[in-house]
Amino acid sequence: MNNSKSSGLFQRACKVLPGGVNSPVRAFKAVGGTPPFIERGKGSRIWDVDGNEFIDYVASYGPLLFGHAPDFVSDIIAYAAKDGTIFGAPCEAEVQIAELISELMPAIEMIRFVSSGSEATTSAIRLARGATARKLIVKCAGCFHGSVESLLATAGSGVATLGIPETAGISRALAAETIVVEYNDISQLQQVFATHGPDIAAFIVEPIAANMGVVLPAQGYLEAAREITSSAGALLIFDEVITGFRVGAGGAQELYGVTPDITCLGKIIGGGIPCGAYGGTRKLMQHIAPSGPVYQAGTLSGNPLAMKAGLAVLQKIKTEKSELYPKLEALGKRLAEGITSAFQTVGKPVQLARQGSILTAFFAAEPVTNYTRAKQTDTAEFGRYFHSLLENGVYIAPSQFEAMFISAAHTEKDIDQTLEIIGRACRS
Ligand code: PMP
């Protein structure tokens, strides 16, 4: 694979951007090598500056449910940009998208739009603390909720990939207000609430974990989390920044039939433009300024480009959901089964974890149910697998602790071509 232009750009980037990138996991630090610099994307494919073509399963880590640059989104962004990109005043699309999200996710009676998933989770825990007048937040090891001071403890995604034990720059006082529990461990959650219950503002969790690789909630886990938080008078926050509109039109909360107090959203709801949001019951959301005393504001919040692009995506989801999600499920199943059989053929252990269009192939002999198990996977083997795929035109995240994302633009042909490449990678 010729990557001379990418290499040149990476060398220049390393002089002016820390690690050569604007988000750590893009740097290939865990797997080695030079990241391709991407020039354009269309549908299921991306092309780098050296002209290499890849079938893309990163999908910008989740936002691109309909693939790269779908015409119905690109056209709306282009038209919207001509009318002005930001006003610092309300616009109609904010009301329309809020109404639509509330219709698709009934637990969200009111919503506040922000500019990223991290801003959504930051604001959600501020709301939880403000509404309960309590200070402690409980989170799971291996779950990632963005680069949020008090939520980076034992976090997944890039923090897990780089093996960073404690993030420098976060004060002890803040870290002390976060309690970390193992994902899927009901008795540990019960113990923590038995000890600290009256001081706990919220338990924040990815209802389907997707930042230590994909890890599904064990049967009864989310129901138990609902029950434990409610009886302690604490709030349950579902971080659906990845799963929202990805695993179904009503998110993981609809899939599992568990209703959180606050839902955090991002990625898909902005149609590929920076966006995040948090929402919940009207009573709870009225704590937010200017209705209530919990202050949260943003110059770029409810940005018209994000609102219009997101609205187009959510409208399409609403009208096409009965075909869209079965299609994503079928593609996900085909890919997962194909990967399992490719590994079986060469007698290598692999554990496939999947919900619809998000999946992870763990290099492990035992199923991965939590962060402890995720860390025991064979990351060196993953590195070799990753490079073999990249060299042959399949782009997956450069980390064992991320998901593969399939979009509605992927076809069975894309999946079969991918499986051929994976088969070759396994044999070599
Ligand atoms: N929550 C989850 C579950 C995420 O996966 C991410 C980012 N991958 C975030 C929050 C933070 O979102 P953003 O990168 O938009 O700040």
Side-chain angles (χ1 to χ4, degrees):
M1 188 174 91
N2 171 22
N3 69 350
S4 53
K5 281 194 184 163
S6 283
S7 289
L9 278 171
F10 193 53
Q11 274 169 23
R12 281 170 55 200
C14 286
K15 292 191 183 135
V16 286
L17 303 167
V21 291
N22 281 307
S23 199
V25 80
R26 297 178 195 168
F28 282 24
K29 238 185 141 179
V31 290
T34 300
F37 278 61
I38 307 304
E39 195 163 73
R40 69 191 171 90
K42 192 73 190 168
S44 62
R45 311 264 163 163
I46 49 172
W47 289 265
D48 72 9
V49 288
D50 291 289
N52 300 303
E53 177 177 332
F54 305 94
I55 307 175
D56 179 28
Y57 293 97
V58 176
S60 190
Y61 294 88
L64 307 175
L65 190 66
F66 293 100
H68 291 275
D71 290 341
F72 79 98
V73 177
S74 301
D75 289 349
I76 278 184
I77 295 170
Y79 292 136
K82 286 195 176 138
D83 286 336
T85 54
I86 189 80
F87 308 111
C91 72
E92 187 179 1
E94 289 168 89
V95 186
Q96 293 170 307
I97 190 170
E99 288 168 347
L100 185 49
I101 290 178
S102 179
E103 184 187 331
L104 293 169
M105 273 188 188
I108 298 182
E109 291 174 351
M110 269 192 166
I111 190 164
R112 167 63 62 84
F113 289 96
V114 291
S115 298
S116 69
S118 302
E119 211 183 329
T121 52
T122 308
S123 311
I125 63 168
R126 185 181 308 148
L127 168 60
R129 286 179 166 136
T132 59
R134 299 171 175 189
K135 65 176 186 202
L136 297 179
I137 299 291
V138 182
K139 77 163 292 268
C140 288
C143 280
F144 181 68
H145 304 291
S147 14
V148 176
E149 307 311 74
S150 49
L151 299 178
L152 278 170
T154 327
S157 192
V159 183
T161 307
L162 299 174
I164 295 175
E166 298 290 335
T167 295
I170 292 177
S171 76
R172 282 230 174 104
L174 264 180
E177 290 179 354
T178 309
I179 299 175
V180 181
V181 294
E182 194 80 270
Y183 190 72
N184 273 335
D185 189 335
I186 297 175
S187 62
Q188 198 188 6
L189 198 60
Q190 279 165 337
Q191 270 168 27
V192 161
F193 272 82
T195 315
H196 302 283
D199 293 323
I200 298 174
F203 173 45
I204 183 168
V205 66
E206 294 179 69
I208 297 167
N211 282 291
M212 47 180 146
V214 173
V215 177
L216 301 182
Q219 208 183 355
Y221 181 62
L222 298 176
E223 290 82 350
R226 177 65 285 178
E227 156 63 28
I228 294 166
T229 45
S230 292
S231 24
L235 302 180
L236 178 63
I237 305 175
F238 275 0
D239 180 349
E240 295 228 41
V241 167
I242 283 185
T243 53
F245 308 103
R246 162 68 58 183
V247 298
Q253 53 196 268
E254 181 183 57
L255 206 63
Y256 287 93
V258 177
T259 306
D261 298 297
I262 304 176
T263 302
C264 298
L265 296 169
K267 304 205 188 232
I268 290 174
I269 62 161
I273 303 287
C275 189
Y278 60 104
T281 59
R282 192 159 283 116
K283 187 164 171 242
L284 199 51
M285 291 304 286
Q286 271 171 344
H287 284 89
I288 301 289
S291 301
V294 178
Y295 198 75
Q296 187 274 308
T299 302
L300 298 169
S301 296
N303 173 275
L305 292 191
M307 298 291 95
K308 288 180 185 175
L311 182 60
V313 164
L314 293 175
Q315 277 165 342
K316 197 169 170 70
I317 288 174
K318 186 185 161 189
T319 46
E320 295 179 8
K321 64 182 176 188
S322 53
E323 300 94 57
L324 173 67
Y325 292 102
K327 177 188 168 175
L328 290 169
E329 165 63 25
L331 291 172
K333 188 164 181 278
R334 193 180 184 92
L335 183 58
E337 287 179 354
I339 297 176
T340 306
S341 112
F343 277 77
Q344 267 166 3
T345 308
V346 295
K348 285 248 172 217
V350 72
Q351 301 292 329
L352 259 289
R354 179 179 74 87
Q355 178 64 57
S357 58
I358 44 173
L359 62 140
T360 298
F362 287 107
F363 287 79
E366 297 292 324
V368 173
T369 51
N370 58 31
Y371 190 46
T372 303
R373 287 274 179 88
K375 280 192 301 186
Q376 287 159 358
T377 54
D378 188 344
T379 50
E381 184 85 314
F382 173 84
R384 288 190 285 279
Y385 171 78
F386 168 82
H387 279 293
S388 179
L389 266 55
L390 188 72
E391 294 276 319
N392 289 289
V394 171
Y395 188 68
I396 63 171
S399 164
Q400 170 76 102
F401 308 116
E402 302 284 353
M404 283 176 93
F405 293 91
I406 300 170
S407 78
H410 285 82
T411 60
E412 284 188 359
K413 223 173 130 193
D414 287 328
I415 304 292
D416 292 346
Q417 197 181 337
T418 304
L419 288 173
E420 229 180 88
I421 292 165
I422 290 178
R424 257 187 279 145
C426 284
R427 287 191 295 277
S428 69

